[in-house]
């Protein structure tokens, strides 16, 4: 029987998505890829993200050569209509990564949806694990289960080195006085003719008024092919993994990447399989090339957090998107929507917003403790915050955004994902970065001209949600701290006066 045509989405670009084993597509299946312009028209994406995704899709099509039919169309449905034999033959497609795409493929006739690829844990296995933890799902328990199931960093059934969690060793502030970490620079790509074509197309569509973007489309920084992604992975595990753990939470103004891997966009485009990333990291430890705290930290991010977030996206259901446990309704201010870093005085926020504007990426702590924390303290609508992160980050997709933003960053799910809201005063940012020194504000001041907006905002947030947070054992002490603040009325007045203005 002739193989059925297989439909590849733009985040299914690695060879594992065409591997016929493990319920994959038919052997030597012809392939269809659809570049749907409506996706770009619907939202104002970061231009570097649009560039990355289109470049990766077109590179994959060039690699597949005659095997692929690459359709440029207005919508997916219109694109499919151009597939030869579509009215007659069945198509296969791997389980897409968003609810909207899943609804589309399941609504179409003669399309068979194959199991998801690109993750370590099948949905059915997660469902079984979750059933046994109906009292409360927590990442740590899930992560230990994944390590055991996949024999990752395990020795004779026990965690390698005797401990599951080495987070304690992974919270160092940046080295004193250093402007950058003393570590090899990250892998970086060279652009080619396909990138140039993508730039020309984006310029044309933009000048025709067809689409509109935010951010700058500077030299491409992230891989678009399997070969590039493997080179980036090898470079990271060979030269940069060593210091990953120690400075995982630290920030330096002049060194946005620190020792992070920059692999999220490659994983999320499907260019890398998570199994090969964690296996390589484990091999580096076993060969004595990287310490356990770094390797465990990295494995925890991929086999723990990334898998957990993927599963929760499906597990929590569609209504999770609309959760707003804290009743936050403020719109996102214009300077934030436009990534206008120059409008912001607060050095931490201005620096991080500029990183997003220029690259479409910052590491985890700036996302959580600078951008997300600002939104949480100022009571911005969590759905709008989710949309902003989705559009502005090169690695942003619906599945990864919802749990990370609605749950982890905005606590809009009321604690389904995390045990407490993640926000802090300026003292945390001061301890973990070099950002406060040159700032016009002082992290220790919560009222007055030089009051740090994070310190003022932190107490104002606790005050606003005192009733909800007092019963949370991880927040109770912080909430009690409000009673010791003699300047609380003045602080609240100051927080109110700022409103949505850029801090
Ligand atoms: P590293 O620090 O080197 O970590 C290694 C890998 O672990 C990452 O490449 C990523 O694949 C995975 N990972 C770590 N934490 C998470 C997590 N919480 N969720 C999913 N994967 C994780 N990650 C995305 O991939 N896409 C997003 O759109 C995204 N949005 C985020 C929004 C907020 C508000 C927050 C707090 C986190 C978000 N993250 C997102 C998670 C994390 O910040 C990024 O994965 C990471 O910063 C990417 O940089 P890196 O590849 O250098 O990661
Ligand atoms: Fe940010 Fe406050 Fe530090 Fe300024 S003082 S950099 S606003 S935390």
């Amino acid at each position: 029987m002739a193989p059925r045509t297989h439909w590849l989405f733009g985040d299914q670009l690695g060879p594992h998505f065409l591997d016929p084993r493990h319920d994959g597509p038919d052997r030597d299946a012809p392939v269809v890829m659809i570049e749907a312009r409506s996706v770009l028209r619907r939202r104002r994406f970061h231009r570097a993200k649009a560039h990355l995704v289109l470049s990766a899709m077109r590179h994959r099509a060039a690699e597949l050569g005659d095997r692929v039919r690459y359709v440029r169309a207005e919508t997916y449905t219109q694109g499919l209509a151009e597939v030869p034999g579509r009215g007659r033959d069945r198509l296969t497609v791997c389980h897409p990564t968003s609810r909207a795409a899943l609804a589309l493929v399941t609504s179409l006739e003669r399309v068979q949806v194959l199991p998801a690829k690109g993750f370590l844990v099948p949905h059915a296995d997660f469902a079984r694990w979750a059933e046994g933890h109906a009292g409360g799902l927590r990442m740590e328990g899930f992560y230990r289960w994944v390590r055991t199931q996949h024999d990752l960093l395990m020795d004779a059934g026990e965690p390698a080195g005797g401990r599951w969690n080495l987070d304690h060793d992974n919270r160092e502030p940046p080295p004193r006085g250093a402007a950058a970490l003393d570590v090899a620079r990250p892998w970086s790509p060279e652009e080619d003719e396909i990138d140039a074509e993508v730039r020309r197309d984006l310029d044309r569509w933009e000048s025709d008024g067809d689409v509109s973007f935010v951010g700058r489309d500077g030299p491409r920084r992230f891989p678009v092919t399997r070969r590039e992604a493997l080179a980036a992975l090898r470079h990271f595990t060979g030269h940069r993994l060593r210091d990953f753990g120690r400075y995982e939470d630290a920030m330096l103004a002049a060194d946005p990447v620190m020792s992070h891997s920059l692999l999220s966009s490659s994983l999320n485009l499907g260019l890398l399989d998570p199994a090969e990333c964690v296996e390589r990291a484990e091999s580096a430890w076993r060969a004595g090339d990287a310490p356990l705290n770094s390797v465990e930290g990295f494995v925890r991010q991929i086999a723990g957090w990334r898998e957990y977030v993927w599963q929760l996206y499906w597990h929590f259901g569609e209504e999770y998107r609309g959760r707003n446990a804290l009743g936050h309704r403020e719109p996102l201010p214009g300077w934030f929507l436009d990534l206008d870093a120059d409008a912001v005085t607060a050095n931490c926020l201005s620096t991080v917003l500029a990183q997003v504007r220029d690259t479409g990426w910052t590491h985890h702590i700036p996302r959580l403790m600078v951008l997300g924390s600002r939104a949480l303290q100022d009571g911005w609508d969590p759905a709008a915050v989710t949309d902003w992160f989705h559009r502005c980050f090169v690695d942003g997709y619906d599945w990864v955004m919802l749990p990370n933003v609605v749950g982890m960053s905005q606590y809009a799910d009321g604690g389904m994902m995390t045990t407490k809201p993640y926000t802090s005063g300026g003292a945390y940012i001061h301890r973990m970065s070099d950002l406060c020194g040159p700032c016009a504000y002082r992290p220790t001041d919560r009222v007055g001209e030089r009051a740090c907006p994070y310190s003022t905002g932190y107490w104002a947030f606790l005050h606003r949600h005192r009733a909800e947070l007092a019963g949370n054992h991880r927040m109770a002490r912080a909430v009690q701290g409000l009673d010791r603040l003699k300047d609380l009325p003045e602080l609240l007045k100051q927080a109110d006066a700022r409103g949505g203005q850029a801090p």
Side-chain angles (χ1 to χ4, degrees), residues 335 341-353 370 374 429 435-436 438-441 451-454 498 502-503:
W335 53 268
D342 300 334
V344 178
T345 307
N347 193 41
C348 54
L349 185 55
S350 172
T351 304
V352 169
L353 211 52
V370 178
R374 183 76 271 124
I429 295 176
L435 293 157
C436 295
C439 185
Y441 304 118
C452 164
Y454 284 86
R498 195 167 57 73

Side-chain angles (χ1 to χ4, degrees), residues 166-188:
L166 281 83
D167 269 357
H168 190 66
D169 305 338
N170 290 351
R171 293 199 186 112
E172 281 192 38
R176 246 185 134 75
L181 280 192
D182 184 16
V183 58
R185 291 297 80 208
W187 174 91
S188 82

Side-chain angles (χ1 to χ4, degrees), residues 236 244 248 257 259-265 267-268 298 301-302 305-307 309 361-365 367-368 372 389-390 393 395-397 399-401 404-405 408-409 417:
F236 172 72
F244 176 83
E248 203 179 337
V257 181
S259 217
H260 289 271
S261 70
L262 291 181
L263 293 174
S264 52
S265 62
L267 279 157
N268 297 353
F298 183 70
Q301 299 311 310
I302 292 186
W305 281 111
R306 185 173 188 271
E307 289 292 318
V309 156
W361 181 93
T362 67
H363 80 68
H364 190 71
I365 296 301
R367 295 186 201 204
L368 190 64
F389 271 103
H390 184 153
F393 279 78
D395 52 20
Y397 293 85
W399 68 267
V400 69
M401 277 308 161
N404 269 312
V405 184
M408 188 184 291
S409 156
M417 171 148 181

Side-chain angles (χ1 to χ4, degrees), residues 27-46:
R27 186 170 297 283
D28 300 324
V31 173
V32 60
M33 295 174 72
I34 302 169
E35 192 182 294
R37 185 91 68 87
S38 58
V39 175
L40 290 182
R41 221 179 257 139
R42 273 201 296 266
R43 288 162 138 176
R44 199 166 159 226
F45 285 101
H46 198 296

Side-chain angles (χ1 to χ4, degrees), residues 40-86:
L40 290 182
R41 221 179 257 139
R42 273 201 296 266
R43 288 162 138 176
R44 199 166 159 226
F45 285 101
H46 198 296
R47 175 141 165 179
K49 178 178 191 172
H51 178 150
L52 186 75
V53 175
L54 291 185
S55 178
M57 288 180 71
R58 293 180 189 183
H59 275 92
R60 184 65 174 132
E63 282 165 6
L64 289 169
D66 292 344
R67 186 175 170 191
V68 68
R69 185 176 177 96
Y70 193 83
V71 184
R72 294 178 194 195
E74 181 53 32
T75 64
Y76 287 124
T77 316
Q78 286 173 12
L80 277 184
E82 291 187 30
V83 178
R86 172 68 192 123

Side-chain angles (χ1 to χ4, degrees), residues 7 13 52 63 115 147 172-173 198 290 321 350 386 390 461 492:
W7 176 8
L13 302 180
L52 186 75
E63 282 165 6
R147 289 244 323 251
E172 281 192 38
V198 168
R321 186 183 301 281
S350 172
T386 308
H390 184 153
F461 168 78
L492 296 176

